Amino acid sequence: MKYVNVGICTKWYLSEREKSHMTLREQFEQREHDILSPYAAFSNQSQGRERFEEPCDLRPIYQRDRDRILHSKSFRRLKGKTQVFLSPEGDHYRTRLTHTLEVAQNARTIAKALRLNEDLTEAIALGHDLGHTPFGHAGERVLNRICPDGFMHQIQSVRVVEKLEKNGAGLNLTKEVRDGILNHSTSGHPSTLEGKIVRLCDKIAYVNSDIDDAIRGKIICEEDLPAACVRVLGKNLRERLNTLIHDIVIHSMGQNDIMMSDETYEALQELRKFMFANVYVNSVAKKEEGKAERMIGQLFAYYSNHIEEMPEEYTRMIWEKGESISTVVCDYIAGMTDRFAVSTYETLMIPSTWQIY
């Protein structure tokens, strides 16, 4: 094995004889060092997991994390959770799952162009919203207001992968993936470039896809968008995504950071402000959110006083692990899909018809 200094890192080169004795995983790890940027997060240099596990003979560590998230129950439930619009009529509006897949695709495109670790990037992207509540940010707002410890979906996403999945065992993900999930929001500071890509792509995806859905729902039209933003980013979804992704790649190439040009970033921020003013706060699409918040609040109050009616995997966390009742009730409600929350509310709160035989 030969070691060669290349820029900021040391690369190693193996003889054919050494390669023949490597597992497929080790060959993939070697290939990362041959191909990826020196600024990439290399799989065999991960800070590892909370609990030691024998490495897989086929998959590098971040690919294994990606697979665990993809096969988790919390990932499947994203298909039944609101992105922005509650109970829209039509099959083409985004859900939390389709949003997650769009973030992952955009993030992988950027990571590949910059020769960063695509497996790590995708794992973070697929896991970043696992802790989101039913009914989107409306559910998050009410849980944050009524739970004594507060509630933030990025913290809950980490809690899902650490403590809630697999009946309380967690997914035992790597530190880098958990860091990227925790820090994907605007105020976050991911420790890897892959995490920084996901942080930007989350904003890019939700602003642009929400514009698309709002136009589909006839809440706004393309002509309503700020002219300055259209001039910089483009006049439709395809042009805006193309501009934003290219801008990140061009300005981040060869840098130990993920960046955008000032002009493009400011245009994205203006679009975001426009969406808050015209869609996210006062539009007709948000008129049902008050009902959703009241429903979540009543479910929280009910289960706080009837903890025995939650599934055993949750009550065990109270009796055996010493978790607070409010935290575990938040866990249970946050894990619900929109439909399950509504049906549970109807069962608990609305009298059913009855018949005498």
Side-chain angles (χ1 to χ4, degrees):
M1 182 181 295
K2 296 180 180 179
Y3 295 89
V4 180
N5 288 322
V6 181
I8 64 168
C9 69
T10 299
K11 286 194 174 183
W12 50 88
Y13 296 88
L14 303 176
S15 68
E16 290 304 314
R17 181 176 178 277
E18 288 172 316
K19 288 181 180 179
S20 68
H21 288 81
M22 297 168 68
T23 65
L24 284 174
R25 170 187 54 80
E26 290 170 331
Q27 292 179 44
F28 293 144
E29 291 170 348
Q30 171 62 31
R31 192 178 303 167
E32 288 181 1
H33 286 275
D34 294 339
I35 296 173
L36 297 186
S37 162
Y39 302 115
F42 295 102
S43 297
N44 63 358
Q45 294 178 359
S46 169
Q47 296 184 54
R49 310 181 187 281
E50 287 291 312
R51 301 185 304 277
F52 174 78
E53 296 179 20
E54 289 294 336
C56 178
D57 62 335
L58 297 179
R59 298 166 296 167
I61 197 166
Y62 300 133
Q63 183 183 349
R64 204 175 183 188
D65 281 3
R66 187 275 311 272
D67 294 349
R68 290 180 180 186
I69 293 169
L70 190 64
H71 290 291
S72 68
K73 292 189 295 184
S74 52
F75 182 79
R76 294 195 293 275
R77 289 197 299 266
L78 293 177
K79 70 179 182 293
K81 295 191 178 190
T82 293
Q83 171 63 12
V84 171
F85 303 106
L86 273 65
S87 304
E89 290 291 335
D91 295 331
H92 299 137
Y93 292 91
R94 270 78 171 182
T95 64
R96 189 63 59 180
L97 178 61
T98 54
H99 161 76
T100 294
L101 295 176
E102 289 177 353
V103 173
Q105 182 56 47
N106 292 337
R108 282 198 62 165
T109 297
I110 295 170
K112 186 171 186 176
L114 296 175
R115 293 187 299 119
L116 298 175
N117 195 309
E118 291 181 62
D119 288 336
L120 173 57
T121 304
E122 188 174 20
I124 295 169
L126 294 180
H128 81 280
D129 270 355
L130 293 180
H132 244 300
T133 63
F135 310 113
H137 289 284
E140 182 176 19
R141 281 195 302 272
V142 67
L143 287 184
N144 185 52
R145 186 167 65 244
I146 63 182
C147 183
D149 297 323
F151 184 94
M152 299 175 70
H153 79 271
Q154 63 269 34
I155 295 176
Q156 186 68 14
S157 294
V158 175
R159 183 170 168 83
V160 166
V161 300
E162 287 184 343
K163 296 186 177 183
L164 300 182
E165 271 292 336
K166 297 180 70 174
N167 293 321
L171 300 180
N172 199 28
L173 303 181
T174 58
K175 183 175 181 179
E176 292 81 8
V177 172
R178 288 179 287 124
D179 169 84
I181 291 172
L182 179 63
N183 288 288
H184 78 267
S185 295
T186 301
S187 59
H189 299 282
S191 64
T192 63
L193 298 192
E194 290 81 0
K196 291 182 178 182
I197 289 174
V198 174
R199 178 179 171 273
L200 267 182
C201 284
D202 182 39
K203 186 179 298 184
I204 288 170
Y206 77 68
V207 168
N208 285 284
S209 61
D210 294 350
I211 290 173
D212 191 47
D213 281 353
I215 291 172
R216 179 174 292 106
K218 296 181 170 53
I219 297 166
I220 60 172
C221 58
E222 288 280 4
E223 292 72 23
D224 295 330
L225 300 179
C229 298
V230 173
R231 178 182 57 79
V232 174
L233 300 178
K235 63 180 181 295
N236 55 45
L237 176 65
R238 183 188 63 81
E239 290 185 6
R240 287 191 293 271
L241 290 177
N242 187 65
T243 298
L244 288 160
I245 290 171
H246 275 80
D247 188 88
I248 293 172
V249 170
I250 290 168
H251 289 87
S252 304
M253 189 72 71
Q255 305 294 321
N256 190 20
D257 201 0
I258 303 300
M259 299 178 289
M260 298 175 69
S261 66
D262 291 342
E263 182 183 38
T264 302
Y265 184 76
E266 288 169 7
L268 179 62
Q269 289 294 88
E270 284 302 310
L271 267 188
R272 187 168 178 265
K273 291 177 184 176
F274 169 84
M275 291 297 288
F276 269 99
N278 295 277
V279 177
Y280 295 149
V281 178
N282 296 316
S283 74
V284 65
K286 313 303 280 184
K287 66 181 181 180
E288 298 295 299
E289 283 193 350
K291 297 177 185 177
E293 290 188 18
R294 288 190 291 275
M295 180 167 56
I296 293 293
Q298 290 181 55
L299 287 174
F300 181 88
Y302 181 86
Y303 283 112
S304 294
N305 290 299
H306 300 84
I307 57 176
E308 72 283 353
E309 295 188 29
M310 291 190 294
E312 182 184 354
E313 62 192 90
Y314 292 94
T315 57
R316 243 191 352 255
M317 296 176 67
I318 298 172
W319 307 128
E320 297 178 10
K321 298 184 178 180
E323 298 272 8
S324 70
I325 291 175
S326 59
T327 296
V328 175
V329 172
C330 273
D331 290 337
Y332 183 46
I333 294 174
M336 294 178 175
T337 61
D338 295 12
R339 184 171 61 181
F340 183 74
V342 170
S343 65
T344 300
Y345 180 84
E346 290 176 343
T347 299
L348 296 175
M349 308 294 182
I350 298 176
S352 59
T353 58
W354 59 281
Q355 186 174 3
I356 298 176
Y357 293 94

